[in-house]
mmCIF file of all heavy atoms in Angstrom:
data_model
loop_
_atom_site.group_PDB
_atom_site.id
_atom_site.type_symbol
_atom_site.label_atom_id
_atom_site.label_comp_id
_atom_site.label_asym_id
_atom_site.label_seq_id
_atom_site.Cartn_x
_atom_site.Cartn_y
_atom_site.Cartn_z
ATOM 1 N N ASN W 68 24.945 17.767 -19.658
ATOM 2 C CA ASN W 68 25.454 17.145 -18.429
ATOM 3 C C ASN W 68 24.752 17.565 -17.172
ATOM 4 O O ASN W 68 25.211 17.234 -16.003
ATOM 5 C CB ASN W 68 26.937 17.452 -18.370
ATOM 6 C CG ASN W 68 27.713 16.947 -19.576
ATOM 7 O OD1 ASN W 68 27.437 15.741 -20.028
ATOM 8 N ND2 ASN W 68 28.595 17.729 -20.141
ATOM 9 N N PRO W 106 31.122 17.166 -14.235
ATOM 10 C CA PRO W 106 31.942 16.872 -15.301
ATOM 11 C C PRO W 106 32.864 15.669 -15.205
ATOM 12 O O PRO W 106 33.411 15.125 -16.216
ATOM 13 C CB PRO W 106 32.885 18.148 -15.517
ATOM 14 C CG PRO W 106 32.829 18.916 -14.283
ATOM 15 C CD PRO W 106 31.514 18.400 -13.541
ATOM 16 N N ARG W 142 35.272 15.367 5.460
ATOM 17 C CA ARG W 142 34.969 16.521 6.310
ATOM 18 C C ARG W 142 35.735 17.808 5.928
ATOM 19 O O ARG W 142 35.254 18.890 6.126
ATOM 20 C CB ARG W 142 35.223 16.142 7.811
ATOM 21 C CG ARG W 142 34.081 15.168 8.397
ATOM 22 C CD ARG W 142 32.814 15.963 8.485
ATOM 23 N NE ARG W 142 31.953 15.207 9.399
ATOM 24 C CZ ARG W 142 31.025 14.282 8.950
ATOM 25 N NH1 ARG W 142 31.094 13.913 7.678
ATOM 26 N NH2 ARG W 142 30.154 13.615 9.757
ATOM 27 N N TYR W 148 29.189 29.225 -1.580
ATOM 28 C CA TYR W 148 27.891 29.449 -1.895
ATOM 29 C C TYR W 148 27.730 30.872 -2.337
ATOM 30 O O TYR W 148 28.460 31.675 -1.712
ATOM 31 C CB TYR W 148 26.973 29.161 -0.678
ATOM 32 C CG TYR W 148 26.461 27.817 -0.444
ATOM 33 C CD1 TYR W 148 27.041 26.676 -1.021
ATOM 34 C CD2 TYR W 148 25.529 27.683 0.543
ATOM 35 C CE1 TYR W 148 26.418 25.454 -0.726
ATOM 36 C CE2 TYR W 148 25.016 26.319 0.790
ATOM 37 C CZ TYR W 148 25.448 25.289 0.154
ATOM 38 O OH TYR W 148 24.966 23.998 0.449
ATOM 39 N N GLU W 152 19.449 35.390 -6.035
ATOM 40 C CA GLU W 152 18.170 36.189 -5.931
ATOM 41 C C GLU W 152 17.385 35.684 -4.691
ATOM 42 O O GLU W 152 17.590 34.507 -4.210
ATOM 43 C CB GLU W 152 17.316 35.669 -7.054
ATOM 44 C CG GLU W 152 16.048 36.442 -7.352
ATOM 45 C CD GLU W 152 15.260 35.805 -8.604
ATOM 46 O OE1 GLU W 152 15.925 35.669 -9.625
ATOM 47 O OE2 GLU W 152 14.157 35.495 -8.447
ATOM 48 N N GLY W 155 17.792 35.060 2.376
ATOM 49 C CA GLY W 155 17.949 33.869 3.160
ATOM 50 C C GLY W 155 19.109 33.928 4.187
ATOM 51 O O GLY W 155 19.678 35.060 4.481
ATOM 52 N N MET W 156 19.309 32.849 4.880
ATOM 53 C CA MET W 156 20.341 32.732 5.804
ATOM 54 C C MET W 156 21.053 31.400 5.661
ATOM 55 O O MET W 156 20.462 30.313 5.407
ATOM 56 C CB MET W 156 19.795 32.686 7.267
ATOM 57 C CG MET W 156 19.174 34.109 7.660
ATOM 58 S SD MET W 156 20.427 35.267 8.009
ATOM 59 C CE MET W 156 20.435 35.200 9.748
ATOM 60 N N THR W 162 32.183 20.994 14.044
ATOM 61 C CA THR W 162 32.087 19.699 14.579
ATOM 62 C C THR W 162 31.797 19.630 16.091
ATOM 63 O O THR W 162 31.413 18.647 16.667
ATOM 64 C CB THR W 162 33.292 18.783 14.215
ATOM 65 O OG1 THR W 162 34.457 19.658 14.711
ATOM 66 C CG2 THR W 162 33.376 18.565 12.772
ATOM 67 N N ARG W 170 23.945 36.151 6.630
ATOM 68 C CA ARG W 170 22.724 36.568 5.729
ATOM 69 C C ARG W 170 23.036 36.436 4.250
ATOM 70 O O ARG W 170 24.165 36.916 3.860
ATOM 71 C CB ARG W 170 22.414 38.154 6.111
ATOM 72 C CG ARG W 170 21.170 38.601 5.518
ATOM 73 C CD ARG W 170 20.748 39.899 6.180
ATOM 74 N NE ARG W 170 20.554 39.862 7.659
ATOM 75 C CZ ARG W 170 19.458 39.406 8.201
ATOM 76 N NH1 ARG W 170 18.420 39.130 7.346
ATOM 77 N NH2 ARG W 170 19.326 39.344 9.383
ATOM 78 N N PRO W 180 33.870 26.822 5.155
ATOM 79 C CA PRO W 180 35.123 26.031 5.431
ATOM 80 C C PRO W 180 34.969 24.469 5.581
ATOM 81 O O PRO W 180 33.899 24.111 5.772
ATOM 82 C CB PRO W 180 35.691 26.706 6.747
ATOM 83 C CG PRO W 180 34.800 27.851 7.066
ATOM 84 C CD PRO W 180 33.519 27.633 6.343
ATOM 85 N N ARG W 186 23.581 24.590 5.748
ATOM 86 C CA ARG W 186 22.040 24.481 5.395
ATOM 87 C C ARG W 186 21.709 25.943 5.024
ATOM 88 O O ARG W 186 22.119 26.916 5.678
ATOM 89 C CB ARG W 186 21.374 23.862 6.580
ATOM 90 C CG ARG W 186 19.895 24.264 6.653
ATOM 91 C CD ARG W 186 19.272 23.877 7.866
ATOM 92 N NE ARG W 186 18.970 22.369 7.771
ATOM 93 C CZ ARG W 186 18.652 21.706 8.946
ATOM 94 N NH1 ARG W 186 18.448 22.296 10.112
ATOM 95 N NH2 ARG W 186 18.346 20.365 8.799
ATOM 96 N N ILE W 212 23.287 14.917 10.289
ATOM 97 C CA ILE W 212 22.227 15.985 10.419
ATOM 98 C C ILE W 212 20.840 15.334 10.731
ATOM 99 O O ILE W 212 20.154 15.835 11.546
ATOM 100 C CB ILE W 212 22.134 16.817 9.192
ATOM 101 C CG1 ILE W 212 23.481 17.588 8.925
ATOM 102 C CG2 ILE W 212 20.965 17.836 9.289
ATOM 103 C CD1 ILE W 212 24.022 18.369 10.089
ATOM 104 N N ASP W 215 21.201 14.294 14.596
ATOM 105 C CA ASP W 215 21.349 15.290 15.674
ATOM 106 C C ASP W 215 20.971 16.678 15.310
ATOM 107 O O ASP W 215 21.041 17.550 16.153
ATOM 108 C CB ASP W 215 22.877 15.312 15.997
ATOM 109 C CG ASP W 215 23.369 13.893 16.604
ATOM 110 O OD1 ASP W 215 22.540 13.300 17.266
ATOM 111 O OD2 ASP W 215 24.504 13.497 16.166
ATOM 112 N N LEU W 222 14.166 30.545 13.044
ATOM 113 C CA LEU W 222 12.717 30.606 13.297
ATOM 114 C C LEU W 222 12.287 32.027 12.994
ATOM 115 O O LEU W 222 13.073 33.032 13.175
ATOM 116 C CB LEU W 222 12.331 30.261 14.719
ATOM 117 C CG LEU W 222 12.733 28.959 15.234
ATOM 118 C CD1 LEU W 222 12.325 28.697 16.646
ATOM 119 C CD2 LEU W 222 12.177 27.779 14.279
#
Side-chain angles (χ1 to χ4, degrees):
N68 302 317
R142 287 288 193 275
Y148 272 15
E152 188 183 310
M156 293 287 257
T162 51
R170 190 169 295 280
R186 159 184 280 170
I212 300 304
D215 303 320
L222 305 178

